Amino acid sequence: MRHDEKRLPPPSGMPVDIDSNLSLIRIFDDLGGMQTPILPAALLDQITAITQERLERDRLADHGLPPSRSAILVGPPGVGKTLSARWIAARIGKPLWVLDLTTVMSSLLGKTGNNLRRVFDYAKEHEAVLLLDEIDAIAKRRSDESDVGELKRLVTAILQEVDAWPDTGLLLAATNHPDLIDPALWRRFDVVLNFGPAQAADIEAAVRRYLDQDLPAFEPWVGMLCFSLQGQSLSEVERTVIGLRRQAILSNADAGQLVANLAARKSDGMDKSGRRDLAISLARSGTMSHNQISDLTGVARDTLRKYAGPSPIKGRGFKRG
Ligand SMILES: Nc1ncnc2c1ncn2[C@@H]1O[C@H](COP(=O)(O)OP(=O)(O)OP(=O)(O)O)[C@@H](O)[C@H]1O
Ligand SMILES: [Mg+2]
């Protein structure tokens, strides 16, 4: 379980798998409040609209309109799909119920359809916000020929359940593999939320958020840290930043040196011109001496002086650790 996960014991009567007696639903309760996911504005607007439709459903009803009943969240791992589902539920004032299809299907496949129906019935009755996580799991199982008939019935069961889902609840689904989703299923969701790879501005916002109370110690190195984390998901950004903070606290290491080690590893993986661009932008940011930058990137101090002017700070080089 992640450090920020708050799970509740299941309410009585919640469906369990008959063979294993394990709960088929996980519950996230973020009703105490949670921070807004860091996302591009257009996507966040789309997500906020879903919650607003719920909170102001009477205004829609005056015009004969229901709120959207369902949404599918699509994107690579670690970009905030599950987090956003939790946020939506919290804003609506409900816990998030998660049905992990992999878990459901790991029980005897012949019983999956029953399990599924019981979960949907229970969720409808409780007007829940229900997330079908890893909805592509069914499609993945298709490779096993012996399961084909059963899996077809399962897809049909899901299609029927999505169709019959009432607007009193909210049905969400998440996937990393939109290409594996049956088009008939895809079509049935009212809203499609596309999560792309994290943009530079989002990485910086996440770095600042996850540095939290240690931000002042790392402030001069935020630019370099963001650079080192380019191309990573916000989930990886979080893991790296929390790791750095632990190291800084327990080993009394200098924040600048820790970030420099990270940047050095990143620059090792770059070609010559990439390293030069990195070195020049670090020099222009004025947070490190030319000696330090040169040690990190292998770019000559003369080059830095030529493109970024004289070193603004005097400082010894970094140890490469
Ligand atoms: N957009 C974001 N804003 C803030 N934090 C994020 C964001 N994306 C990821 N994180 C951090 O990473 C963690 C994992 O993200 P999450 O579980 O939502 O990813 P996911 O898209 O559901 O990935 P997967 O496809 O692997 O299930 C979150 O709990 C959060 O701490
Ligand atoms: Mg997820």
Side-chain angles (χ1 to χ4, degrees):
M1 195 186 302
R2 299 177 60 88
H3 71 277
D4 61 341
E5 255 179 42
K6 291 172 223 143
R7 293 204 192 152
L8 292 177
S12 62
M14 180 158 274
V16 293
D17 177 53
I18 297 179
D19 296 312
S20 63
N21 204 29
L22 290 173
S23 172
L24 292 167
I25 301 176
R26 289 184 289 141
I27 300 181
F28 288 93
D29 179 12
D30 297 294
L31 296 179
M34 65 185 285
Q35 287 183 295
T36 309
I38 299 166
L39 296 170
L43 178 56
L44 194 57
D45 284 350
Q46 249 189 313
I47 293 176
T48 310
I50 294 175
T51 63
Q52 195 187 358
E53 289 171 12
R54 297 279 151 168
L55 298 172
E56 302 190 52
R57 67 183 303 147
D58 292 349
R59 286 177 61 198
L60 292 177
D62 287 345
H63 293 257
L65 290 172
S68 37
R69 293 177 311 145
S70 58
I72 183 159
L73 295 76
V74 186
V79 292
K81 298 183 299 297
T82 304
L83 185 76
S84 298
R86 286 166 54 188
W87 189 71
I88 289 171
R91 292 250 307 182
I92 296 173
K94 295 194 168 168
L96 178 69
W97 291 7
V98 182
L99 175 67
D100 191 330
L101 284 164
T102 320
T103 322
V104 175
M105 297 207 320
S106 70
S107 61
L108 269 182
L109 202 53
K111 302 227 173 88
T112 308
N114 282 344
N115 280 345
L116 199 81
R117 286 227 154 78
R118 285 190 301 130
V119 168
F120 270 89
D121 285 346
Y122 189 78
K124 282 188 279 196
E125 195 183 309
H126 287 78
E127 305 189 347
V129 181
L130 178 65
L131 170 65
L132 310 178
D133 221 352
E134 302 199 47
I135 196 166
D136 42 82
I138 308 168
K140 281 197 199 133
R141 266 298 268 274
R142 264 189 191 159
S143 47
D144 184 347
E145 286 298 319
S146 62
D147 289 345
V148 167
E150 171 67 13
L151 286 168
K152 274 201 182 129
R153 280 193 291 282
L154 185 58
V155 171
T156 310
I158 293 187
L159 292 180
Q160 287 166 352
E161 292 296 348
V162 177
D163 275 340
W165 184 260
D167 64 38
T168 43
L170 178 61
L171 182 63
L172 305 172
T175 179
N176 301 147
H177 300 284
D179 44 311
L180 292 182
I181 306 285
D182 193 321
L185 178 57
W186 192 251
R187 258 200 326 270
R188 281 171 162 80
F189 287 93
D190 291 341
V191 181
V192 177
L193 300 170
N194 274 306
F195 289 66
Q199 305 294 305
D202 297 337
I203 291 183
E204 177 165 355
V207 162
R208 290 181 178 279
R209 176 179 294 182
Y210 293 121
L211 279 173
D212 200 28
Q213 68 192 84
D214 295 324
L215 177 59
F218 282 87
E219 183 70 64
W221 318 106
V222 164
M224 203 190 333
L225 190 47
C226 292
F227 170 81
S228 313
L229 294 167
Q230 264 174 24
Q232 312 240 342
S233 72
L234 295 195
S235 172
E236 292 164 322
V237 169
E238 178 186 22
R239 195 172 50 215
T240 304
V241 168
I242 302 281
L244 282 178
R245 290 176 59 193
R246 287 197 186 107
Q247 257 186 300
I249 295 162
L250 296 182
S251 67
N252 277 324
D254 176 59
Q257 179 70 54
L258 291 176
V259 177
N261 293 345
L262 202 69
R265 283 201 293 279
K266 174 85 179 179
S267 96
D268 284 347
M270 298 172 98
D271 63 12
K272 204 173 159 199
S273 80
R275 279 204 303 277
R276 207 183 74 141
D277 291 349
L278 161 65
I280 293 168
S281 74
L282 287 175
R284 287 188 178 143
S285 78
T287 51
M288 296 165 73
S289 74
H290 286 188
N291 280 340
Q292 292 170 327
I293 298 168
S294 180
D295 280 358
L296 274 184
T297 60
V299 173
R301 279 172 300 167
D302 285 346
T303 311
L304 298 178
R305 202 175 316 110
K306 181 166 159 206
Y307 289 96
S311 184
I313 20 180
K314 304 287 166 233
R316 281 177 294 117
F318 281 113
K319 305 192 291 298
R320 289 189 58 122

